[in-house]
Amino acid sequence: MPKVKIPTPLRKLTKEQAEVDANGSTIRDIVDDLEKQFPGFKERMCDENGDLRRFVNVYVGEEDIRFLNGLDTEIPDGESVSIIPAVAGG
Amino acid sequence: MSDFTDEQVNRYARHIILPEVGGAGQRKLLDASVLIVGAGGLGSAVAMYLAAAGVGRIGLADHDAVDLTNLQRQILHTTADVGRPKTVSGAETINAINPGVDVVTIDARLDSSNASDAIAGFDLVVDGSDNFPTRYLLNDACYLAVKPLVSGAIFQYEGQVTTFNGGRPCYRCLFPSPPAPGTVPNCAQAGVFGALAGTIGTIQATEAIKLICGIGTPLVGFLLLYDALEVRFNRVRVTRDEACPLCGSSPEIMRLIDYEEFCSR
């Protein structure tokens, strides 16, 4: 079961957990499972067309899924998933 | 060592003795110019370390006055500075640390009309701004001018740092466009852990000093992430995006853009 790193802005939804387990073999599965576990999660990550929002990146290991297979990117065994939104504070 | 004054030899002794920096690196620092955009939490740490390192000319761009709520993290300013322009207070602190630094202040908000002029004449730019419009503006201006940009950002307990070398990839390869107004809370609404600004700003200063001296490996092509609550560093790849609207194979952005201000205090 892949471990998903949750960024600070989304931790309100995950009861302040920085890392959660999610079921699925692709990022799409993971997002759906996170929505089941934490209602409201998907809307923070995806737009109304179901595409990843342009200021939220998802990485499998070190790699940005936009340069892999997008939401259909498979998650290799033991690889972790990181969700990283753009932040602007200074 | 003849081109250093006795005072400089003593002041910079701990850098000069490092084999990688040495007298040659210190000379590069003394001859270098860096524009710091934002004299806030990140800019404070950047400005103080670059001043201490002897960067010859430091530009400080900010249009705000010091507010009491800034002092929890903006260590460039003191209680006595509340109400004063941040550039003025910042310049004083820089020169108190190192009178040898020539400080150039830009007391204006950067936008498409003045950003290119502001960065011209500086060897590199450090982004310590507090809003998305300025981040995209600086990225575009630095890419178009082929100028290195050390980018840092913080939110609550989390920080991000990366270095763009004036080429590809750029910030838009990482995040193609800014969030829509109102979709992302800002620091004033969400809070920010004060010491985090020092951690991230200090990494930005480290990157700037390395770039100037030409030592080590810059954080080009990687985004460094720091989670202060979990004390965890993580690194992900910043990939060149062929579809990038600025630096991709068919660029759409040829001049600077003013995005709607939506993350101001």
Side-chain angles (χ1 to χ4, degrees):
Chain A
M1 193 182 278
K3 291 204 179 305
V4 184
K5 293 196 180 81
I6 307 294
T8 313
L10 294 182
R11 283 186 203 161
K12 268 209 173 68
L13 291 169
T14 62
K15 303 177 182 74
E16 302 304 326
Q17 296 174 89
E19 195 171 82
V20 300
D21 292 319
N23 264 313
S25 60
T26 66
I27 297 297
R28 196 180 297 280
D29 298 343
I30 296 279
V31 172
D32 287 339
D33 188 57
L34 288 174
E35 172 65 24
K36 256 184 238 149
Q37 294 186 55
F38 313 110
F41 200 92
K42 189 171 182 174
E43 194 232 326
R44 297 291 297 275
M45 292 192 60
C46 300
D47 63 20
E48 53 281 5
N49 301 321
D51 297 324
L52 210 55
R53 293 186 183 277
R54 304 260 280 174
F55 55 90
V56 179
N57 289 348
V58 178
Y59 297 83
V60 173
E62 283 192 348
E63 304 300 329
D64 186 338
I65 64 163
R66 281 192 296 135
F67 303 100
L68 298 170
N69 226 348
L71 288 169
D72 296 319
T73 301
E74 305 256 349
I75 304 151
D77 268 355
E79 200 63 280
S80 68
V81 174
S82 309
I83 300 169
I84 299 171
V87 299
Chain B
M1 220 60 84
S2 57
D3 53 347
F4 294 115
T5 64
D6 289 347
E7 198 264 352
Q8 287 174 328
V9 170
N10 281 316
R11 179 182 286 273
Y12 305 119
R14 299 296 184 277
H15 264 164
I16 292 171
I17 203 169
L18 289 173
E20 294 78 7
V21 179
Q26 189 59 51
R27 173 49 58 196
K28 288 179 186 167
L29 288 165
L30 292 168
D31 291 343
S33 58
V34 177
L35 175 64
I36 302 167
V37 179
L42 296 173
S44 285
V46 175
M48 293 168 84
Y49 272 111
L50 294 189
V55 168
R57 196 157 50 89
I58 295 178
L60 203 53
D62 204 299
H63 64 281
D64 262 336
V66 179
D67 185 87
L68 194 55
T69 61
N70 299 152
L71 299 183
Q72 159 259 22
R73 64 197 178 285
Q74 301 184 13
I75 57 176
L76 200 52
H77 317 294
T78 68
T79 308
D81 294 318
V82 170
R84 303 175 73 209
K86 285 187 181 178
T87 48
V88 173
S89 147
E92 282 178 9
T93 303
I94 289 171
N95 281 139
I97 292 169
N98 190 344
V101 177
D102 174 20
V103 186
V104 180
T105 59
I106 302 174
D107 199 350
R109 177 185 291 273
L110 296 186
D111 59 27
S112 64
S113 73
N114 60 7
S116 296
D117 285 346
I119 70 168
F122 289 97
D123 300 327
L124 72 95
V125 178
V126 179
D127 187 355
S129 68
D130 65 353
N131 63 84
F132 283 108
T134 305
R135 291 181 179 280
Y136 282 87
L137 181 78
L138 287 176
N139 175 67
D140 297 359
C142 287
Y143 176 77
L144 295 171
V146 198
K147 201 171 290 271
L149 172 66
V150 180
S151 175
I154 51 176
F155 181 80
Q156 294 187 332
Y157 299 96
E158 221 155 340
Q160 304 182 350
V161 196
T162 185
T163 297
F164 303 108
N165 63 6
R168 310 176 60 202
C170 77
Y171 186 72
R172 286 180 186 275
C173 294
L174 184 59
F175 298 110
S177 55
T183 56
V184 176
N186 63 39
C187 284
Q189 295 160 343
V192 60
F193 193 67
L196 171 66
T199 309
I200 298 300
T202 302
I203 295 171
Q204 289 181 276
T206 306
E207 283 292 287
I209 292 168
K210 281 163 53 192
L211 283 174
I212 293 163
C213 293
I215 61 174
T217 309
L219 202 46
V220 172
F222 288 97
L223 178 69
L224 182 71
L225 305 154
Y226 172 59
D227 180 340
L229 272 187
E230 305 298 321
V231 209
R232 210 190 295 240
F233 281 94
N234 185 20
R235 220 166 82 141
V236 294
R237 205 177 295 280
V238 181
T239 306
R240 291 176 178 193
D241 186 357
E242 282 306 317
C244 176
L246 180 70
C247 75
S249 44
S250 8
E252 295 146 32
I253 297 167
M254 304 295 178
R255 50 193 178 83
L256 302 181
I257 300 170
D258 289 310
Y259 288 104
E260 185 187 342
E261 179 63 74
F262 51 81
C263 198
S264 67
R265 275 160 294 141

